[in-house]
Amino acid sequence: AQSVAQPEDQVNVAEGNPLTVKCTYSVSGNPYLFWYVQYPNRGLQFLLKYITGDNLVKGSYGFEAEFNKSQTSFHLKKPSALVSDSALYFCAVRVSGSARQLTFGSGTQLTVLP
Amino acid sequence: DGGITQSPKYLFRKEGQNVTLSCEQNLNHDAMYWYRQDPGQGLRLIYYSQIVNDFQKGDIAEGYSVSREKKESFPLTVTSAQKNPTAFYLCASSTPSVRPEAFFGQGTRLTVV
C-alpha cells in the first residue's frame, strides 16, 4: 500500500518570505513523488517531480522540493512567496514500475499575505 | 493545443438519475483516470484504464461505471446507486512508461438537487 500525509491543512506566509509545504510518504519500493497545485474550481497543474538522482528538484514558477529518503519526506519550498502562489497544493506518490495511478495527500491550502 | 477536456463544467442531477461525465484527451496518452475530490479529503481514485477496452476499479468504484472504447475517451457514469454523488470530478491521463506524471482536465462539479 502507498500513502501520503500532508500534516498541515493551512499554511500562511507573508509575501516575500520563504515558504514550505510539508509532505511525507509511505511506499513499498522506490517512490516517484509529485507536487501539484490547484486554483479554485480548476484542475490540478503539475509543478515538479522526483524520479531519481539529485534530491533537490526544481519545477515551475520558482518552486523546488527536496527528497529525503531517510525521513520519507518531499517538502515543497520557494525562497520568496508571491500573493499569486495562494492555492491548494497536493503531494502525490506512485511506486516506480507500478501501473497504478497516483495516491494523493489531503492537500494544503497556502495563503500568501500581502 | 493538446490537452484534456472535461464536460460539462457544472452538472445538476436529480436523485435517482444516472448522469455521464465526458473526458476527452488528444495527448495520445495510453492511460486515463477518474478521481473524485471532496473538501479536506484530497483526490480519491474511482476507475482507471491502461488500454482501450480495459479498465480497473480504484478505491471508490461503487456506484460508478466507465467505458474505454476509444483511446481518446473515458466517460464516467454516476449511477443512482452512488449514495453521495455531489463532488468535484477530475479526469487525468498519462503514459506512465514515458512520463510518470499525470495531466488533469479542468473538472466537472456535480450537484444532486
Side-chain angles (χ1 to χ4, degrees), chain A residues 58-114:
Chain A
K58 295 185 183 297
S60 306
Y61 313 118
F63 284 94
E64 58 189 28
E66 186 167 11
F67 172 64
N68 187 317
K69 187 172 183 178
S70 62
Q71 297 185 7
T72 62
S73 67
F74 189 57
H75 301 330
L76 181 70
K77 300 181 180 183
K78 188 174 182 182
S80 179
L82 300 172
V83 172
S84 58
D85 293 329
S86 299
L88 185 58
Y89 290 81
F90 288 98
C91 182
V93 68
R94 180 163 73 85
V95 176
S96 65
S98 168
R100 187 170 172 84
Q101 183 48 339
L102 304 169
T103 297
F104 286 84
S106 56
T108 298
Q109 180 67 48
L110 172 68
T111 300
V112 181
L113 304 168

Side-chain angles (χ1 to χ4, degrees), chain A residues 36 38 42 49 100-101, chain B residues 35 37 50 59 101-102 106:
Chain A
Y36 287 84
Q38 185 182 36
R42 305 298 297 272
K49 66 187 176 191
R100 187 170 172 84
Q101 183 48 339
Chain B
Y35 287 90
Q37 185 178 15
Q50 299 177 61
D59 301 316
E101 66 268 30
Q106 293 302 299

Side-chain angles (χ1 to χ4, degrees), chain B residues 7-113:
Chain B
S7 61
K9 188 174 177 66
Y10 298 95
L11 186 58
F12 297 89
R13 189 195 92 170
K14 294 182 179 180
E15 289 198 20
Q17 282 184 336
N18 294 352
V19 290
T20 297
L21 283 59
S22 171
C23 178
E24 304 277 334
Q25 56 101 356
N26 61 4
L27 300 168
N28 199 34
H29 285 167
D30 293 327
M32 297 186 73
Y33 316 85
W34 275 104
Y35 287 90
R36 170 178 171 143
Q37 185 178 15
D38 295 284
Q41 295 192 43
L43 278 68
R44 293 182 289 169
L45 183 64
I46 304 173
Y47 269 98
Y48 64 105
S49 168
Q50 299 177 61
I51 196 171
V52 174
N53 292 323
D54 186 50
F55 47 84
Q56 288 79 41
K57 293 181 179 180
D59 301 316
I60 56 166
E62 184 177 353
Y64 300 98
S65 65
V66 294
S67 63
R68 185 90 186 274
E69 297 177 0
K70 299 186 299 181
K71 186 175 184 178
E72 307 79 35
S73 178
F74 192 42
L76 173 74
T77 296
V78 184
T79 75
S80 57
Q82 170 50 235
K83 300 303 181 189
N84 183 21
T86 295
F88 192 51
Y89 291 87
L90 289 160
C91 180
S93 70
S94 72
T95 297
S97 59
V98 175
R99 293 183 66 175
E101 66 268 30
F103 294 88
F104 284 80
Q106 293 302 299
T108 293
R109 185 165 297 281
L110 173 63
T111 303
V112 174
V113 297

